[in-house]
Amino acid sequence: MEKVYEFLKACETYYLATDDEGQPRVRPFGTIDIFEGGLYIQTGKKKDVSKQMHKNPKIEICAFNGGDWIRVACKAVEDDRVEARKHMLDSYPDLRHMYDENDGNTEVFKLTEGTATISSFTKAPETIKF
């Protein structure tokens, strides 16, 4: 899981896919955090991506770095604890002008049941389960 974290953190931007009633939706994301041994992402409850993850928690993440790329298939499970939200925002202080752990909008999702595959054109794929 830490290798997945390091890869996504190094990319700075990754692409998160959700399902919107049969229509895939993909958007750039940038938050990734490890909290209490779990991998977390952050968004706002007012956004469509939040509504989509609540309705269907199966998501995929894809990112490219140098000659390698990662695909992560997992479930996004909301962690409604203020400590989890605070940890995320402390890791991304530049988001504090838009979010606060107590604003009723900020939410974090723990990525569970994950399978990540790191691939390249020059070496065999590596699969990581978390």
Side-chain angles (χ1 to χ4, degrees):
M1 179 196 63
E2 287 161 5
K3 190 167 189 175
V4 174
Y5 167 81
E6 293 295 334
F7 193 104
L8 294 173
K9 190 79 169 170
C11 289
E12 295 183 9
T13 300
Y14 57 88
Y15 297 89
L16 185 140
T18 59
D19 178 48
D20 186 15
E21 298 188 33
Q23 177 62 50
R25 300 291 179 189
V26 180
R27 77 274 292 152
F29 256 64
T31 55
I32 191 75
D33 194 19
I34 293 180
F35 176 68
E36 293 183 351
L39 200 57
Y40 282 73
I41 61 173
Q42 180 272 333
T43 191
K45 291 182 181 182
K46 297 174 186 173
K47 294 184 176 183
D48 287 342
V49 66
S50 168
K51 295 173 182 107
Q52 291 159 8
M53 287 190 292
H54 280 284
K55 189 168 187 177
N56 180 357
K58 291 182 180 179
I59 64 168
E60 289 206 7
I61 292 171
C62 187
F64 191 80
N65 190 12
D68 297 337
W69 63 92
I70 191 169
R71 287 180 298 155
V72 181
C74 58
K75 288 176 83 173
V77 179
E78 183 185 10
D79 184 338
D80 197 30
R81 296 178 296 158
V82 68
E83 297 86 0
R85 294 189 304 267
K86 182 178 182 329
H87 193 274
M88 176 66 77
L89 293 175
D90 287 349
S91 297
Y92 290 89
D94 55 323
L95 292 177
R96 287 218 173 260
H97 74 279
M98 297 174 13
Y99 295 103
D100 182 84
E101 59 268 19
N102 296 305
D103 64 8
N105 180 44
T106 301
E107 71 183 332
V108 294
F109 289 85
K110 182 178 182 180
L111 305 182
T112 66
E113 300 176 36
T115 301
T117 304
I118 299 174
S119 302
S120 92
F121 291 117
T122 60
K123 55 189 170 197
E126 177 183 0
T127 301
I128 302 163
K129 300 232 182 228
F130 60 93

